[in-house]
């Protein structure tokens, strides 16, 4: 139905994360589109300016990145990523339209690898998974430690990976590791052994019916098993008592819960201190590389990863 493009006001490209395939699609789009109409890409990490090769002046003027976070019906983030050739009026329109009519948290991003939310969010996830390698916490325990108790989504770390698809996390991490030449912490984007193992086994999460968790059905009984990170076998969820859950159960103020978490003794406190401080350091060094203002980082990760507080606000 490519011929119908001439009748639309805004065309959004959402094909596979492969630059050559995207550019070949734009060849076809440009033959059909009407001058003055919007054309944007939903890429989660490919540099926007690389898509402009061989495009007309009108195409370049009306083109930028519009990265909707998945699933868009639940996550409010819309990253708007202009190129130097994008008409500023187009940027203003998309920022306003996304906010007013789509109900999104629109965040203006620079055209840097993975933009803002994935750069920070995937770093946080990878940093946490590297830290997990030094602990004896189970998959379920990590998700409890990194979920609502610290103001993060209920899916936390491993369940989020299963929902999004481990292959997506791996692709973003690998792309970042290759693209970031001067990033002082780029080693964090190297895949931890637990991620390598699952990726090699093609246990990618919900899309392959197993990942860090696996649903099994026996007759009318359904059960969710979790992966043992030492043996890579699935087991029943452990019933464990975590200090952070016990000591914060009556604390509604998130900032106070975070203070309690960081002050804990033992493995839980060590895990929180290691991951929190590492993330804050990383975010601090990203100004002004990925954003000129601190609040844009908080905006992006809060709306894109459902964090109650961004790293600076917390």
């Amino acid at each position: 139905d490519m011929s119908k493009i001439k009748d639309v006001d805004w065309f959004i490209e959402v094909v596979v994360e492969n630059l050559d395939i995207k550019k070949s699609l734009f060849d076809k789009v440009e033959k059909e589109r009407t001058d003055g109409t919007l054309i944007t890409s939903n890429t989660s990490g490919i540099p926007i300016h690389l898509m402009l090769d061989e495009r007309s002046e009108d195409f370049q003027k009306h083109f930028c990145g519009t990265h909707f976070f998945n699933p868009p019906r639940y996550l409010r983030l819309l990253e708007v990523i202009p190129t130097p050739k994008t008409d500023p009026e187009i940027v203003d329109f998309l920022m306003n339209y996304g906010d007013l009519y789509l109900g999104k948290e629109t965040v203006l991003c620079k055209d840097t690898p993975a933009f803002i939310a994935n750069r920070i969010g995937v770093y946080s996830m990878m940093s946490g998974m590297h830290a997990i390698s030094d602990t004896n916490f189970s998959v379920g325990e990590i998700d409890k430690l990194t979920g609502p108790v610290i103001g993060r989504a209920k899916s936390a770390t491993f369940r989020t990976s299963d929902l999004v698809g481990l292959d997506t996390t791996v692709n973003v991490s690998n792309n970042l590791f290759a693209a970031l030449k001067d990033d002082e912490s780029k080693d964090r984007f190297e895949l931890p052994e637990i991620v390598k193992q699952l990726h090699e086994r093609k246990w990618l999460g919900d899309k392959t019916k197993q990942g860090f968790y696996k649903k099994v059905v026996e007759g009318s009984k359904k059960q969710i098993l979790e992966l043992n990170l030492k043996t890579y076998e699935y087991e029943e969820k452990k019933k464990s008592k975590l200090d952070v859950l016990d000591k914060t159960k009556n604390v509604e103020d998130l900032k106070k819960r975070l203070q309690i978490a960081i002050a804990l003794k033992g493995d839980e406190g060590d895990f929180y201190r290691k991951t929190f401080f590492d993330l804050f350091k990383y975010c601090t060094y990203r100004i002004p590389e990925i954003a000129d203002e601190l609040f844009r980082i908080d905006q992006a990760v809060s709306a894109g990863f459902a964090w109650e507080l961004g790293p600076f606000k917390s």
Side-chain angles (χ1 to χ4, degrees):
D1 294 330
M2 295 295 285
S3 63
K4 294 182 179 179
I5 291 173
K6 68 180 183 298
D7 300 319
V8 304
D9 298 320
W10 181 6
F11 177 90
I12 308 176
E13 168 273 309
V14 198
V15 300
V16 66
E17 290 288 81
N18 180 296
L19 181 59
D20 291 335
I21 293 175
K22 290 180 185 292
K23 289 170 71 174
S24 68
L25 175 63
F26 291 145
D27 287 339
K28 299 173 183 176
V29 171
E30 187 148 34
K31 293 175 183 176
E32 305 289 349
R33 70 178 282 271
T34 302
D35 284 355
T37 55
L38 302 178
I39 174 78
T40 67
S41 172
N42 189 62
T43 179
S44 59
I46 294 176
I48 304 300
H49 67 274
L50 295 181
M51 302 180 196
L52 295 180
D53 291 347
E54 302 178 8
R55 301 277 68 90
S56 68
E57 182 179 345
D58 185 81
F59 187 106
Q60 294 179 354
K61 179 180 177 181
H62 293 87
F63 178 76
C64 71
T66 50
H67 182 210
F68 292 81
F69 260 59
N70 188 42
R73 64 186 178 278
Y74 298 128
L75 296 179
R76 294 188 59 233
L77 179 60
L78 169 57
E79 294 180 313
V80 177
I81 313 101
T83 77
K85 296 184 179 180
T86 306
D87 187 332
E89 289 187 7
I90 301 300
V91 179
D92 291 342
F93 167 79
L94 289 169
M95 291 288 290
N96 179 67
Y97 188 87
D99 174 24
L100 196 60
Y101 294 99
L102 301 182
K104 294 294 181 180
E105 183 83 39
T106 51
V107 177
L108 185 63
C109 300
K110 295 185 178 183
D111 193 8
T112 52
F115 317 127
I116 296 178
N118 271 338
R119 179 77 173 273
I120 301 301
V122 173
Y123 181 88
S124 176
M125 186 179 292
M126 287 294 109
S127 175
M129 287 187 178
H130 280 290
I132 288 162
S133 302
D134 300 326
T135 73
N136 290 314
F137 291 124
S138 69
V139 164
E141 288 173 330
I142 289 295
D143 275 353
K144 287 179 181 177
L145 289 171
T146 58
V149 68
I150 59 168
R152 306 286 173 85
K154 189 176 181 180
S155 56
T157 299
F158 292 120
R159 183 70 190 115
T160 295
S161 179
D162 278 0
L163 284 168
V164 173
L166 188 71
D167 53 336
T168 300
T169 304
V170 167
N171 288 339
V172 174
S173 296
N174 285 342
N175 289 342
L176 282 166
F177 184 77
L180 299 174
K181 306 299 181 186
D182 301 316
D183 189 312
E184 78 290 336
S185 299
K186 68 174 291 183
D187 62 302
R188 276 289 185 259
F189 292 107
E190 285 194 271
L191 301 181
E193 186 60 32
I194 55 176
V195 175
K196 288 180 183 177
Q197 284 288 334
L198 265 68
H199 194 246
E200 289 173 4
R201 296 166 191 243
K202 301 192 185 304
W203 295 352
L204 306 179
D206 289 5
K207 66 179 67 176
T208 58
K209 308 298 183 185
Q210 64 187 107
F212 290 104
Y213 294 96
K214 181 179 181 179
K215 181 190 289 186
V216 295
V217 180
E218 295 180 1
S220 60
K221 184 181 178 183
K222 295 181 181 179
Q223 186 178 18
I224 304 296
L225 303 180
E226 63 180 43
L227 189 71
N228 183 312
L229 298 177
K230 306 295 183 184
T231 65
Y232 295 98
E233 295 179 351
Y234 290 96
E235 304 173 344
E236 292 186 14
K237 290 184 178 181
K238 288 183 178 180
K239 291 184 179 180
S240 56
K241 184 176 176 63
L242 296 172
D243 285 346
V244 70
L245 299 181
D246 183 52
K247 294 183 177 181
T248 62
K249 62 183 178 182
N250 296 318
V251 181
E252 294 187 10
D253 188 308
L254 176 55
K255 290 187 177 182
K256 290 181 179 178
R257 293 207 303 271
L258 293 174
Q259 291 171 359
I260 292 171
I262 291 175
L264 287 171
K265 295 181 180 180
D267 291 342
E268 292 176 45
D270 289 343
F271 174 76
Y272 281 131
R273 287 185 288 274
K274 189 172 184 178
T275 53
F276 284 177
F277 298 159
D278 182 48
L279 176 63
F280 187 72
K281 179 195 74 171
Y282 191 72
C283 291
T284 303
Y285 287 170
R286 301 285 71 78
I287 301 291
E289 179 197 350
I290 65 174
D292 291 323
E293 300 90 2
L294 304 181
F295 77 86
R296 295 195 192 278
I297 289 181
D298 279 357
Q299 258 189 315
V301 295
S302 293
F305 286 86
W307 294 7
E308 286 185 44
L309 294 176
F312 291 108
K313 197 170 183 179
S314 60

